[in-house]
Amino acid sequence: MPVKKKERKKKKHRSPVLEQQAGIDSVVRQDRRGLLRTVPSKRKSQVCCEDGQVLPGSPDAQCCGNKTFDPSSHTCCHGYVSPGGGLSCCGQIAYSRTNASCCAGQLSKEYNEMVSQCCGTKAYYHTYDLCCGDELYNLTTHTCCGAEQNIILKKNTPNDKCCGSTLFNEDTHTCSVDMTIISKGSSIEGTGLNGGQCCNSKGYNPNLDMCCSGVIHTLKPGIHQECCGGSAYDIKSSVCCNGTLYQATDGETVCSGGIPFNPTNETVCGKVTHESGQHCCGNHIFKPLTDICCRGKSHPRTNTGLLCCGSQPYNPANSSFKCCNGKLHALSSHPRSWGCCGEGLIDLQTHECCSSKDQHLVFKKDSEFSCCGHHHYKTSLDSCCAGRLIQKHKQAQSTGKACRLVHIADIEDSAVCNKRVLMGRMHSLAIQHSRRVYVMIDVLEVMKNKSAVPLSHPTIITVDHCLCPLLNLGATYALWIPHNMTIDSVTLENSVEMTELSHLESCPVFTILQVMDKCK
């Protein structure tokens, strides 16, 4: 048929496009399943877009209109590229959902999207304001009426309710089925829907009934009722746990593991009941002064310096054990030869760990190879810049020295004993020629005498763009710097160790002091 012939010609015509280059050392080809794959190439770096365009760009680049961008540091919104990776789009504007809201294409910075709702193009928080049609109103002074719930009327009394598009005082009047306001006690009084609401396709009057998961229940005068699944209950006589209703026969007010209990009479840990006034550790109770709770398992606190490593307790001062990301390892030889790679343990004399934000890979040491993020590459063929492999002849010019990102468990005594420690959160980033410049906020200077002094100003952290690993914005880091270095502006070189603290199980300051306590 003509249509099939046309499709075959179209596929043949697209094949050369798919052969265009997708990166510095790769081209895009289509496999037999119709999926796009990259294969090695030494041609100029290009990207094949979904619309058939071939644009210059690195292997990790994505298309945005007629240009490419790095999704780790920029966001594409309807053909426009904006700084900042992983952002949301409000029309052509990129924004963070934790800092702003987008309503019908309009950006609002008054409320963030984690707490706000939209009313037309306006963002609002529902404590006092509600939406009526596309307009906001104050629920303490106004109400929303009308068959389509789009008319805002001012209340004359706190007891004013809607009857169609007008208000009535429910203490003295009622609303009939035909939306007529009738004095209470009149022979023609009725209930009506009062312009009402829907519950599983059925209309109901919210002044007389309530809807619980599609089931209508009659409101009882003088009783504060709430929903528990499809049931309505009196909160003074019952308690709802995970959608199941229980009678509060003994003053139960709290749920644990789906079971209600009275905290003045008992303690429920998970689904196990214990005497009142106890502390829970998983399903069991424990004594905080004599025991330590690690991920739901309690252990005797045999040493005041015990910490948790996953579900196991350990003494960080004991060099026979090492904690790597929540997994405890017993060391079989000299502790200095062992290091962490993710939650695994490696012999640093024979192997090395290549790490990026999400991956930690172990490779056998080879003088001809080195790490670039989680990649292991041959230094005679390729180069590394900011965790990415590039061709050797295109290596960026670096003027500084490489800095080290070290796992907290691998910080050696000698590396910290004669240094000061700065701890803070990486807030923002700028690129200046061959340098990356971070702003670190909420900065503490941790002293060897077990004190921590907050700094009243941010600290500027400068690193070599290619030779130093990428730092995650929003993450907390510790920097071990020489005493003669100014703390207003720090340049990280090979004399500076740094470690990320964001995912520690214990308090970061306490962990740093534990490390420094090894210094004698």
Side-chain angles (χ1 to χ4, degrees), residues 279-335:
H279 293 271
C280 289
C281 180
N283 291 326
H284 308 283
I285 59 174
F286 83 112
K287 298 179 179 179
L289 296 181
T290 59
D291 301 321
I292 183 172
C293 180
C294 298
R295 294 187 182 178
K297 295 184 179 181
S298 62
H299 307 268
R301 191 180 290 276
T302 56
N303 187 295
T304 56
L306 284 183
L307 296 178
C308 289
C309 183
S311 60
Q312 296 295 320
Y314 82 108
N315 183 359
N318 187 346
S319 58
S320 299
F321 293 90
K322 199 176 191 71
C323 179
C324 296
N325 289 12
K327 186 172 184 179
L328 191 63
H329 299 271
L331 305 183
S332 58
S333 60
H334 195 280

Side-chain angles (χ1 to χ4, degrees), residues 24-25 42 368-370 372 376-385 388-395:
I24 294 174
D25 56 357
K42 295 184 179 180
E368 296 183 354
F369 286 78
S370 185
C372 184
H376 204 229
Y377 72 101
K378 198 167 186 177
T379 55
S380 61
L381 299 178
D382 297 304
S383 299
C384 179
C385 183
R388 296 181 180 179
L389 290 176
I390 60 176
Q391 289 177 317
K392 188 71 173 179
H393 68 275
K394 292 184 177 180
Q395 182 178 6

Side-chain angles (χ1 to χ4, degrees), residues 1 11-12 82 186 195 242 300 450 454 470:
M1 294 178 65
K11 290 181 180 179
K12 290 181 179 179
S82 301
S186 170
N242 294 345
K450 297 188 177 181
L470 291 170

Side-chain angles (χ1 to χ4, degrees), residues 279-508:
H279 293 271
C280 289
C281 180
N283 291 326
H284 308 283
I285 59 174
F286 83 112
K287 298 179 179 179
L289 296 181
T290 59
D291 301 321
I292 183 172
C293 180
C294 298
R295 294 187 182 178
K297 295 184 179 181
S298 62
H299 307 268
R301 191 180 290 276
T302 56
N303 187 295
T304 56
L306 284 183
L307 296 178
C308 289
C309 183
S311 60
Q312 296 295 320
Y314 82 108
N315 183 359
N318 187 346
S319 58
S320 299
F321 293 90
K322 199 176 191 71
C323 179
C324 296
N325 289 12
K327 186 172 184 179
L328 191 63
H329 299 271
L331 305 183
S332 58
S333 60
H334 195 280
R336 291 291 175 84
S337 65
W338 295 102
C340 294
C341 190
E343 64 176 23
L345 192 69
I346 64 172
D347 187 343
L348 296 176
Q349 294 181 351
T350 58
H351 292 76
E352 61 182 332
C353 179
C354 294
S355 302
S356 60
K357 181 181 179 181
D358 301 313
Q359 296 190 59
H360 308 275
L361 304 179
V362 180
F363 296 93
K364 189 175 182 180
K365 276 192 173 181
D366 189 322
S367 59
E368 296 183 354
F369 286 78
S370 185
C371 289
C372 184
H374 63 270
H375 302 288
H376 204 229
Y377 72 101
K378 198 167 186 177
T379 55
S380 61
L381 299 178
D382 297 304
S383 299
C384 179
C385 183
R388 296 181 180 179
L389 290 176
I390 60 176
Q391 289 177 317
K392 188 71 173 179
H393 68 275
K394 292 184 177 180
Q395 182 178 6
Q397 295 298 319
S398 299
T399 58
K401 299 178 181 179
C403 43
R404 298 175 60 212
L405 185 60
V406 185
H407 191 286
I408 186 65
D410 294 335
I411 296 292
E412 299 179 357
D413 301 358
S414 59
V416 301
C417 285
N418 296 315
K419 293 183 179 181
R420 63 206 301 190
V421 180
L422 292 184
M423 189 178 74
R425 181 163 53 90
M426 295 303 171
H427 178 65
S428 60
L429 166 66
I431 305 294
Q432 295 180 355
H433 304 294
S434 62
R435 298 277 183 166
R436 251 180 288 132
V437 182
Y438 295 91
V439 175
M440 188 168 72
I441 63 173
D442 305 332
V443 185
L444 289 174
E445 183 177 6
V446 185
M447 308 294 187
K448 185 179 176 181
N449 62 0
K450 297 188 177 181
S451 64
V453 179
L455 303 187
S456 59
H457 52 77
T459 295
I460 304 300
I461 309 296
T462 303
V463 301
D464 185 281
H465 177 62
C466 281
L467 298 182
C468 289
L470 291 170
L471 304 181
N472 300 320
L473 295 183
T476 300
Y477 290 87
L479 314 177
W480 277 266
I481 64 174
H483 282 280
N484 59 359
M485 184 178 290
T486 175
I487 57 177
D488 294 332
S489 181
V490 177
T491 299
L492 298 183
E493 296 180 340
N494 63 351
S495 59
V496 176
E497 289 79 19
M498 53 185 176
T499 183
E500 185 174 353
L501 307 174
S502 302
H503 306 297
L504 292 178
E505 296 189 43
S506 55
C507 169

